[in-house]
Amino acid sequence: HRREIRACYEAELQRTPELEGRVLINFVIAPDGQVAGSRSVESSLNNSTVEDCVVRRIRSWRFPEPRGGGTVNVNYPFVFTPGG
């Protein structure tokens, strides 16, 4: 899914060439492997367009079903830099 996330950033980078920073996303993987919810919890990017795009993309992802049928709470940092 790296390309999906990078596309969110690169679209906005065209308008703001100096855009860079880190976005911490929290998401919950449901017992069936689908993402039950996601949200931006911290950002030094300070760009709601990119943050909202990442949150929407993650909501469409599917993971292996968690062992034991429970939910999994994930905090994942995405770091965006113009050549990275």
Side-chain angles (χ1 to χ4, degrees):
H1 298 286
R2 183 172 269 184
R3 287 184 191 159
E4 289 178 64
I5 300 302
R6 188 75 187 170
C8 291
Y9 172 66
E10 288 180 356
E12 192 66 13
L13 189 61
Q14 299 297 317
R15 287 188 270 185
T16 313
E18 69 280 356
L19 184 64
E20 64 180 273
R22 177 180 177 270
V23 178
L24 181 65
I25 302 292
N26 170 265
F27 59 98
V28 177
I29 302 170
D32 64 358
Q34 292 186 316
V35 174
S38 63
R39 64 189 175 100
S40 173
V41 293
E42 185 180 294
S43 176
S44 64
L45 192 66
N46 297 317
N47 184 291
S48 62
T49 301
V50 175
E51 294 163 16
D52 292 345
C53 179
V54 171
V55 164
R56 282 192 314 274
R57 298 285 175 113
I58 291 173
R59 284 184 185 150
S60 71
W61 294 357
R62 186 170 179 90
F63 292 86
E65 294 179 5
R67 289 187 186 153
T71 61
V72 178
N73 190 28
V74 179
N75 286 307
Y76 193 87
F78 293 92
V79 178
F80 299 101
T81 57

